[in-house]
């Protein structure tokens, strides 16, 4: 019989196999596992299974209404995570093998690792338990000896039960609060009709609250004038600068802006300057040595903050790069860690890593690694090696494998990690810090100098050294003070007051928001809860980047440059939570309270049943408050608009749901003009409403959603309604048919032409929501249309600006545009719009891939260099050239296939894709594609070129290219699959 070992990720499974091979014998490698005579070793890839409510407790129809809330199932079912189903099936198959009689949980040593294994084991058992004994491998170091020691001291299933209970409780509590909170807030916001998705969550909402509170501080901030007095003093050796300060100043707890070097009236500042100017002054100074140790090793959050600050990388980008360096290049250790220390038995591994770096070809790093080896810098210090500070994983450090072929971004992240890794073992930097006080007629001026004496770890950073010091001043770059002799009197050469203004706190960047999430526990007032959150913060290193990206995707925040700015939708959510009295959803205290109770559970002091009962009660209370709220509006800090009511000129005010006319005085019922703040699921910003009322039109705006949930971009107008005798909002999709059907003469004389029509040489103008040739509609010069050039001002949600249209007409293509959204996949994509002379219309052109085909893909002697190059070129050209060139791609692909395998051409399969015919290739490109991919590309083409019949959307009107595919002028949408099948070889 054999024992199945399940690790959390493939790299750990490989480490376990290497450690067990000396005692368990040789392991045979299979696709999803390793096997010896006594062990089968496999792994998950993170969470393979997630919880869901049983179907009988989760009503599908109308589930967003209060009638079906709260959803508190007596138990949870499991469902596979879609993208890892194959791995789950493989692990379950191994667990059910008849020759496997024991299981070992080798997932990461922590709460999430426990949950990953328990859910897999439960899923494998199905309706009844799997019934095989389970042991726990608890590892905090991945050296072979540590792994063997772990197998010698396996923990029992009973020992791990409290941790398993805490893990399940955390998962189920997050589900209950997130699902019920989101559905309740959405139901509340959708009471007046429509569907206004309002997501909330235990981590997401407090994170958003942090950003909103900062923005509220910025908006309420009132800048104040203050003055500093800057002077230059002349000594025998030369001049030096100094700044006035008040030596008697004491910190003001109520006003943080009051500082020792500020005066608050110009008169006082000028009086000081006038008193000191031209006077002699005495000098006293104090000089002392200081040292500065390097920062600690990176965990994921500190790496993300550093990369955002230095390179502007988003947290998501840094994580994906670090994950690539870990998985693909094997150059870094596991990145999703919250520890900044190493296990105590890792000293030999660190020495080996330094040896690898010293022998590597990385000239900017190797000399420092060699210096560390020669100087014996690697020592077992608690600052670096501390088991008590190692959680499920240890700090991010380089592995023993030197990387090759890194991208520029990967090299930047790798260098960051390697430099920090070396720096923690180097000696501290040594400075000589001098503080000089110059006193003239009773007024004191301070000058500070900081001179680097021994660079220590800063040598690794070279010219960037000053950037690595947290409190860097001018002196950090090596400037020393002009010397002054003992007893020497100096002259006040210049002295000027400098007027300045106090500034509001800075908006959060990803770096500072990650720091705020990590340190969220410090803001909790209750001592016990703060202690429970001390090591936790909001979210985990692995989830923080996805939380930020989720808030941006849900339009709660915008990313502008490096700043994160909350939207009107974010303020509306915070107003709602405060108004309903469920502020706990927006506070870090909720996480603190949970962590405190889960820690008690882990130590056997609190039962799973009682914790879940509290969560259920909290969920019911939250839903009840939203359901029973009966007032017309939610109290909040609302705007009064500067733009007047378009109907009566009265004052327009904001309330929770609407912008409403309140009459000339602002306190009346008004004329009845009002409109919702969130048409089609998109919340107006106050500045947008001001513009809208002023111009009576706005857009195009993105972020709207149809009743079916599809995103769309549109303009909006305020129009007078004869029926109600008042103004109302409408979506404006353009009057494209004006003139085309009625024959009405169109006048373009007030417009400036964008350029020459690429079809007939006429002039192109804006018309409705399109750019059209003046010869495609009736005009005075050409009453009978003779051209059909037309392209949309918005294509797949991407607004096409006039400047881009001008560029297309002048050069043949636009810049690379990045806001296209596929109608089928709903994913954003980048493309250029280019004139396709063969098809006679504007088409997409895609930028060449950043990732060229790997040179190692072809086996030696199998493909010639030119054959591989031709195939790659053909694929690139098929994407780039949707017309004639694409049609000729088929033989080139076949030729490449023949070259690659001389014996016989490789047959395409459903899995690898089928080759499109020349006619179909002209529409979708010549690459082998699956049937589903063909349909996706075909629909993208149809939508991009407005080929659906306006009066019957199920009918597709063929253009020149599609006519060759359809064999007729039009086809029904349900015919497409059959037609496409005939064009796939």
């Amino acid at each position: 019989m054999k024992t199945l070992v399940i690790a959390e990720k493939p790299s750990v499974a490989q480490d376990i196999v290497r450690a067990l091979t000396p005692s368990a014998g040789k392991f045979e490698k299979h696709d999803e596992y390793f096997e010896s005579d006594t062990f089968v070793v496999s792994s998950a890839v993170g969470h393979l299974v997630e919880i869901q409510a049983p179907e009988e407790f989760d009503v599908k129809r109308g589930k967003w209404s209060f009638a079906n809330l709260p959803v508190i199932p007596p138990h949870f079912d499991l469902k596979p995570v879609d993208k890892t189903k194959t791995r789950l099936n493989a692990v379950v198959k191994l667990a059910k093998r008849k020759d496997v009689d024991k299981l070992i949980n080798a997932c990461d040593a922590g709460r999430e690792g426990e949950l990953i294994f328990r859910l897999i084991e439960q899923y494998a058992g199905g309706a009844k338990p799997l019934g095989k004994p389970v042991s726990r491998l608890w590892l905090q170091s991945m050296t072979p000896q540590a792994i063997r020691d772990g197998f010698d001291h396996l923990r029992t299933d009973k020992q791990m039960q409290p941790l398993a209970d805490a893990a399940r409780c955390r998962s189920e509590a997050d589900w209950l609060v997130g699902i019920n909170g989101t559905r309740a807030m959405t139901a509340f916001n959708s009471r007046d009709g429509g569907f206004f998705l309002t997501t909330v969550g235990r981590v997401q909402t407090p994170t958003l609250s942090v950003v909103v509170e900062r923005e509220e501080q910025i908006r309420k901030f009132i800048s104040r004038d203050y003055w500093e007095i800057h002077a230059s003093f002349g000594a025998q050796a030369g001049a030096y600068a100094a700044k006035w300060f008040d030596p008697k100043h004491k910190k003001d707890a109520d006003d943080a802006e009051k500082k020792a070097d500020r005066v608050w009236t110009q008169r006082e500042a000028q009086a000081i300057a006038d008193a000191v100017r031209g006077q002699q002054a005495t000098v006293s100074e104090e000089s002392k040595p200081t040292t500065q140790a390097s920062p600690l090793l990176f965990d994921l959050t500190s790496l993300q903050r550093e990369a955002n600050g230095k390179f502007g990388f988003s947290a998501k980008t840094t994580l994906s790069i670090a994950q690539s360096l870990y998985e693909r290049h094997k150059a870094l250790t596991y990145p999703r860690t919250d520890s900044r220390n190493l296990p105590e038995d890792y000293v030999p591994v660190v020495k080996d890593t330094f040896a690898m770096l010293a022998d590597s070809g990385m000239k900017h790093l190797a000399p420092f690694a060699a210096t560390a080896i020669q100087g014996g810098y690697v020592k077992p210090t608690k600052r670096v090696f501390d088991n008590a500070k190692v959680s499920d994983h240890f700090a991010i450090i380089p592995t023993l494998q030197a990387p090759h072929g890194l991208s520029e971004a990967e090299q930047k992240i790798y260098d960051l990690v390697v430099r920090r890794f070396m720096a923690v073992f180097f000696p501290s930097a040594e400075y000589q810090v001098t503080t000089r006080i110059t006193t003239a007629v009773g007024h004191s001026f301070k000058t500070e100098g900081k001179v680097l004496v021994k660079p220590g770890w800063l040598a690794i950073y070279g010219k960037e050294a000053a950037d690595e010091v947290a409190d860097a001043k001018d002196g950090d770059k090596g400037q020393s003070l002009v010397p002054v002799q003992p007893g020497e009197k100096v002259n006040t050469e210049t002295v000027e007051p400098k007027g300045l203004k106090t500034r509001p706190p800075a908006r959060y960047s990803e770096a500072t928001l990650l720091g705020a999430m990590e340190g969220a526990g410090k803001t909790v007032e209750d001592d016990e809860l703060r202690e429970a959150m001390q090591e936790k913060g909001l979210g985990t290193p692995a989830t923080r980047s996805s939380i930020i990206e989720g808030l941006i995707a849900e339009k709660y925040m915008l990313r502008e440059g490096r700043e994160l700015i909350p939207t009107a939708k974010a303020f509306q959510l915070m107003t709602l939570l405060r108004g309903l009295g469920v502020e706990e959803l927006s506070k870090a205290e909720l996480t603190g309270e949970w962590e405190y109770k889960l820690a008690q559970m882990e130590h056997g002091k609190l039962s799973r049943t009682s914790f879940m009962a509290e969560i259920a009660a909290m969920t019911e209370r939250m839903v009840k408050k939203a359901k029973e709220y009966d007032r017309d509006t939610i109290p909040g800090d609302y705007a009064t608009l500067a733009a007047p009511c378009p109907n009566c000129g009265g004052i327009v005010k904001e309330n929770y749901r609407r912008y409403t006319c309140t009459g000339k005085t602002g306190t009346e019922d008004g004329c009845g003009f009002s409109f919702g703040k969130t048409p089609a699921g998109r919340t107006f910003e106050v500045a947008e409403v001001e513009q809208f009322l002023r111009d009576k039109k706005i857009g195009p705006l993105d972020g709207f959603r149809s009743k079916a949930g599809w995103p769309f971009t549109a303009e909006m107008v305020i129009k007078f309604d004869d029926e109600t005798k008042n103004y109302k909002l409408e979506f404006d999709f353009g009057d494209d048919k004006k003139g085309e059907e009625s024959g009405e003469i169109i006048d373009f004389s007030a417009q400036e032409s964008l350029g020459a029509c690429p079809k007939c040489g006429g002039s192109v103008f804006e018309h409705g929501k399109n750019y059209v040739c003046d010869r495609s509609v009736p005009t005075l010069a050409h009453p009978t249309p003779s051209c059909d050039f037309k392209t949309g001002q918005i294509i797949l949600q991407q607004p096409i600006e006039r400047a881009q249209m001008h560029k297309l007409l002048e050069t043949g293509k636009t810049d690379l545009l990045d806001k296209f959204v596929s109608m089928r996949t709903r994913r954003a994509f980048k493309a250029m719009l280019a004139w396709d002379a063969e098809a006679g219309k504007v088409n997409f052109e895609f930028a060449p891939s950043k990732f060229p085909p790997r040179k190692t893909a072809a086996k030696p002697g199998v493909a010639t260099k030119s054959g591989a190059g031709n195939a790659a070129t053909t694929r690139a050209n098929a994407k780039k050239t949707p017309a004639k060139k694409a049609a000729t791609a088929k033989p080139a692909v076949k030729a490449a296939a023949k070259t690659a395998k001389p014996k016989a051409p490789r047959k395409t399969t459903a899995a690898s894709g089928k080759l499109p015919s020349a006619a179909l290739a002209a529409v979708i490109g010549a690459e082998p594609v699956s049937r589903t991919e063909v349909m996706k590309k075909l629909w993208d083409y149809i939508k991009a070129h407005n080929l659906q019949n306006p009066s019957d959307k199920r009918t597709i009107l063929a253009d020149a290219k599609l006519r060759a595919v359809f064999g007729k002028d039009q086809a029904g949408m349900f015919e497409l699959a059959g037609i496409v099948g005939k064009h796939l070889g």
Side-chain angles (χ1 to χ4, degrees), residues 51-58 71-78 122 168 172 175-176 608 612:
I51 61 172
Q52 65 175 2
E55 199 158 324
E56 62 269 27
F57 292 99
D58 194 12
V71 183
I72 304 177
H75 63 90
F76 284 89
D77 285 350
L78 301 178
Q122 181 186 338
R168 285 183 185 271
E172 292 170 11
W175 189 96
L176 287 172
R608 171 162 155 69
M612 290 311 298

Side-chain angles (χ1 to χ4, degrees), residues 648-691:
C648 71
I651 295 170
V652 178
K653 289 187 176 181
E654 176 192 17
N655 61 37
Y656 181 68
R657 296 184 190 278
R658 308 183 71 77
Y659 288 97
T660 305
C661 174
T662 58
K664 300 282 186 183
T665 63
T667 57
E668 307 163 25
D669 288 341
C671 67
F673 172 75
S674 78
F675 59 91
K677 289 163 70 171
T678 310
R682 183 196 188 279
T683 305
F684 279 123
E685 300 291 331
V686 173
E688 290 175 340
V689 180
E690 295 276 18
Q691 181 190 337

Side-chain angles (χ1 to χ4, degrees), residues 502-726:
T502 57
R503 291 190 294 181
R507 284 195 176 108
Y508 281 105
S509 64
E510 285 202 40
T512 54
L513 182 56
L514 286 166
M517 292 174 77
E518 188 177 40
K522 294 170 188 171
T523 64
V524 176
E525 291 180 9
D526 185 283
D527 291 341
E528 284 184 333
L529 303 189
R530 187 166 61 247
E531 183 67 27
M533 273 190 81
Q534 192 171 13
E535 302 298 324
K536 303 287 181 185
L538 285 171
T540 66
T543 61
R544 282 177 193 137
S545 63
S546 61
I547 292 291
I548 293 172
E549 293 297 328
L551 289 169
I552 292 169
E554 288 294 340
K555 302 286 190 279
Y556 281 124
M557 295 193 309
L558 301 173
R559 187 188 275 123
E560 284 192 7
R562 296 192 185 184
E563 291 185 334
L564 297 172
I565 303 172
T567 62
K569 184 179 178 182
F571 281 92
Q572 196 169 359
L573 174 60
M574 293 305 143
T575 300
L576 176 60
L577 297 178
R578 292 165 190 162
L580 294 180
V582 287
E583 300 101 313
E584 63 263 35
L585 272 179
S586 65
K587 302 290 183 189
E589 275 86 348
L590 182 62
T591 290
E593 188 179 332
W594 286 18
E595 289 297 345
Y596 176 68
K597 289 177 178 174
L598 292 174
Q600 285 187 311
M601 196 181 299
E602 288 174 20
H603 292 98
K605 296 176 184 174
L606 181 69
S607 73
R608 171 162 155 69
T609 311
S610 61
F611 178 81
M612 290 311 298
E614 287 180 28
I615 298 299
M618 175 194 160
T619 303
E620 287 174 342
R621 186 172 67 253
M622 174 177 64
V623 171
K624 186 180 179 190
K625 283 187 175 181
K627 188 187 291 189
E628 295 180 355
Y629 191 88
D630 57 359
R631 279 176 280 173
D632 290 339
T633 187
I634 299 278
D637 184 12
Y638 296 118
T640 297
L641 303 186
C645 168
N647 192 49
C648 71
I651 295 170
V652 178
K653 289 187 176 181
E654 176 192 17
N655 61 37
Y656 181 68
R657 296 184 190 278
R658 308 183 71 77
Y659 288 97
T660 305
C661 174
T662 58
K664 300 282 186 183
T665 63
T667 57
E668 307 163 25
D669 288 341
C671 67
F673 172 75
S674 78
F675 59 91
K677 289 163 70 171
T678 310
R682 183 196 188 279
T683 305
F684 279 123
E685 300 291 331
V686 173
E688 290 175 340
V689 180
E690 295 276 18
Q691 181 190 337
F692 196 13
L693 291 177
R694 189 175 62 247
D695 301 342
K696 294 192 174 58
K697 65 176 183 178
I698 192 168
L701 303 174
D702 60 7
F704 296 110
R705 283 187 180 273
S706 69
K707 288 179 181 176
W710 289 96
F712 68 93
T713 301
E715 291 187 12
M716 295 197 77
V717 293
I718 297 176
K719 281 188 175 177
F720 190 78
D721 180 33
D722 291 325
E723 192 175 321
T724 62
K725 304 298 180 194
N726 208 326

